[in-house]
Amino acid sequence: MKVIDLVNALGLEVFSGQAGLEKEIAGGYVSDLLSDVMGFAREGEVWVTLQTHQNVMAVASLKDLAAVILVKGFTPEPDTIEHSNEEHIPLLGTPLSTFEVAGRLYALLQHHKGVLSLES
Amino acid sequence: MIIEQTYQVRGGDFAHAGDASSKVKKLLKQLDVDPRKIKSIVIALYEAEVNIVAHAWEGIIRILIDRDHIRMVLEDKGPGIADIEQAMVEGYSTASREVREMGFGAGMGLSNIKRNTDQMEITSRVGEGTVLTMVNYF
């Protein structure tokens, strides 16, 4: 599943980083602690968080994450948007809570995996 | 092949926290280092870089890349660490409220560094600063 498929399925707002919308999603990670994400998120995952400052994009870039979803209607700071565009990592938004968006993301990824295994 | 790089880090400058780590990551990719090794190095270096930004007044990162390893020495002028053993305990942090609100200062930095380096050494003088040396083999 690509980031753009996730955007369409969950009706996410795309704040920035449009150049990265064709990236493949390897999984998801949920945390508001940057060291937790730094230590344990994996390449290609979508990061769900309520942190909106530009260090989020620094971490996302260092970890080669597929995209970042800001929850509960939070909007990114201007330099976060700038960094997202530079790094080609989509910065997405939703009015949903972390719990809801994580649940939907998990269900989508599981469903997608199931479809893939049926095809093969 | 020996490559040496030096980066300056300013205390409190969160806008540029991670810049040095990002440059080292790109350099290691160009040198065709095993991506799994790069991942560990980047985790450790970023945490160490953020520690200078969050706690110290200023610091310098010296990178030395040899054929089979990278040595990273981070030397800062800052408050120092009174009890290194306690600082190493996961969850222990002296970060300010502002820093914690940004999602830093969870007391995971030094344990992330330990977990992702082959060698790690800290020496510190209270009121003067801290020197962190990290070595990773390729």
Side-chain angles (χ1 to χ4, degrees), chain A residues 1-3 17 20-27 42-47 60 63-68 88-92:
Chain A
M1 189 168 67
K2 291 178 175 175
V3 176
L21 287 172
E22 291 296 322
K23 276 187 199 155
E24 276 295 328
I25 299 172
R42 282 171 299 196
E43 184 174 348
E45 289 183 336
V46 172
W47 175 16
K63 297 295 288 185
D64 297 311
L65 300 182
V68 176
H88 301 174
I89 300 175
L91 187 52
L92 313 169

Side-chain angles (χ1 to χ4, degrees), chain A residues 3-110:
Chain A
V3 176
I4 186 70
D5 301 325
L6 179 65
V7 167
N8 292 331
L10 297 186
L12 302 173
E13 180 171 352
V14 181
F15 295 116
S16 53
Q18 280 84 352
L21 287 172
E22 291 296 322
K23 276 187 199 155
E24 276 295 328
I25 299 172
Y29 201 80
V30 176
S31 186
D32 301 319
L33 297 177
L34 275 67
S35 283
D36 181 35
V37 178
M38 205 56 217
F40 299 97
R42 282 171 299 196
E43 184 174 348
E45 289 183 336
V46 172
W47 175 16
V48 180
T49 185
L50 49 69
Q51 298 287 355
T52 59
H53 55 84
Q54 64 172 322
N55 295 94
V56 166
M57 293 319 301
V59 169
S61 155
L62 286 168
K63 297 295 288 185
D64 297 311
L65 300 182
V68 176
I69 303 179
L70 305 183
V71 296
K72 295 202 295 186
F74 282 112
T75 53
E77 289 163 27
D79 41 19
T80 313
I81 288 176
E82 203 178 305
H83 209 150
S84 146
N85 284 328
E86 283 166 13
E87 301 291 342
H88 301 174
I89 300 175
L91 187 52
L92 313 169
T94 176
L96 296 175
S97 72
T98 301
F99 178 73
E100 290 168 308
V101 79
R104 292 192 195 186
L105 174 59
Y106 185 85
L108 274 171
L109 289 171
Q110 289 300 107

Side-chain angles (χ1 to χ4, degrees), chain B residues 12-102:
Chain B
D13 185 11
F14 278 97
H16 294 101
D19 283 7
S21 305
S22 176
K23 284 177 187 150
V24 172
K25 179 186 168 188
K26 282 184 187 128
L27 180 61
L28 293 171
K29 269 191 179 173
Q30 283 167 10
L31 295 171
D32 223 12
V33 173
D34 177 350
R36 285 167 302 176
K37 302 286 181 181
I38 297 179
K39 285 187 170 74
S40 295
I41 293 164
V42 166
I43 293 170
L45 185 57
Y46 179 74
E47 294 290 0
E49 189 179 350
V50 166
N51 276 348
I52 295 180
V53 176
H55 297 283
W57 306 311
E58 60 175 314
I60 189 159
I61 302 178
R62 290 192 184 87
I63 302 292
L64 197 146
I65 302 171
D66 208 334
R67 202 172 36 81
D68 66 341
H69 72 276
I70 179 170
R71 175 182 294 273
M72 300 166 272
V73 182
L74 295 92
E75 188 171 357
D76 72 51
K77 288 181 186 155
I81 305 170
D83 186 341
I84 292 171
E85 208 176 310
Q86 188 181 28
M88 289 298 300
V89 174
E90 187 141 38
Y92 179 83
S93 176
T94 58
S96 67
R97 191 176 57 85
E98 289 84 355
V99 168
R100 285 167 197 261
E101 278 175 1
M102 290 173 79

